[in-house]
Amino acid sequence: MPLTQAEADTLLQMNKEFLEENPLEFSQAQPMNYERVLLSLDRREEFLLNVERGRRNRVRLKYQTRARKIVILARLDLNGPAHPNPPNSPYRPGERLLCPHLHRYTEGFEDRIAYNLSDVPGLNVRNPNNGLYCLEDFLRFCGVQQPFNVQMMI
């Protein structure tokens, strides 16, 4: 069920925390594909965080936050393919945006519009070439409360 823009913005900005206390395992080179549950601080909303590193293209990273199990609120794509925006997009219509870029829920388009990182209010990516920093920055952007328990894997 589609959300209004106000609903999506509220869900994205809502303060969240991890349900489990287990550390996020972050690998610099190995494939990753896992999902973690996030809860709003009032425990009324559940969110899902997906972290993926490609199997064939191991420099490709994707971080994604979903609400209500299926609605993608935000997705940060690093070192992946360029994304063509729809011709009727309110942001850079018909343009192909190279990575890194962020997909943010936009009413009527869901997650089909990519934005340059510098054009996303509230997103501060310290170093787009550092996957771990990008993960931390993405978590902050999505309202996940610190400290982040991230463990580097060999």
Side-chain angles (χ1 to χ4, degrees):
M1 179 173 178
L3 301 174
T4 67
Q5 192 62 53
E7 289 171 320
D9 292 345
T10 297
L11 289 168
L12 182 62
Q13 295 165 4
M14 189 176 287
N15 289 330
K16 305 165 189 71
E17 61 186 6
F18 286 99
L19 175 64
E20 301 174 30
E21 293 184 17
N22 301 340
L24 286 171
E25 296 178 345
F26 186 86
S27 171
Q28 295 281 37
Q30 295 302 311
M32 297 183 293
N33 187 2
Y34 61 88
E35 180 176 278
R36 295 289 295 271
V37 176
L38 302 168
L39 291 176
S40 61
L41 296 185
D42 65 8
R43 301 291 200 236
R44 292 183 182 172
E45 291 284 347
E46 182 177 290
F47 303 87
L48 297 172
L49 169 72
N50 299 98
V51 175
E52 290 182 24
R53 179 181 295 284
R55 292 192 185 283
R56 283 180 272 142
N57 180 4
R58 293 193 182 171
V59 296
R60 184 188 63 78
L61 283 166
K62 177 175 90 173
Y63 308 131
Q64 176 174 280
T65 303
R66 292 181 285 150
R68 303 186 179 156
K69 303 219 188 263
I70 60 168
V71 179
I72 297 170
L73 296 175
R75 181 177 76 239
L76 179 59
D77 291 327
L78 305 168
N79 303 315
H83 176 82
N85 277 344
N88 59 340
S89 167
Y91 177 82
R92 301 201 174 193
E95 285 188 38
R96 291 179 59 84
L97 274 74
L98 300 175
C99 278
H101 58 252
L102 182 103
H103 295 259
R104 183 174 179 171
Y105 184 93
T106 303
E107 187 174 5
F109 294 90
E110 297 175 352
D111 68 326
R112 292 188 300 270
I113 300 173
Y115 296 85
N116 286 324
L117 302 185
S118 60
D119 292 339
V120 179
L123 178 64
N124 179 25
V125 175
R126 293 170 286 170
N127 180 352
N129 298 314
N130 183 313
L132 181 56
Y133 283 177
C134 287
L135 175 59
E136 292 172 350
D137 297 338
F138 180 74
L139 291 172
R140 267 188 219 90
F141 175 72
C142 294
V144 179
Q145 301 299 291
Q146 295 179 6
F148 310 126
N149 188 4
V150 179
Q151 179 178 342
M152 293 294 293
M153 308 266 309
I154 299 174

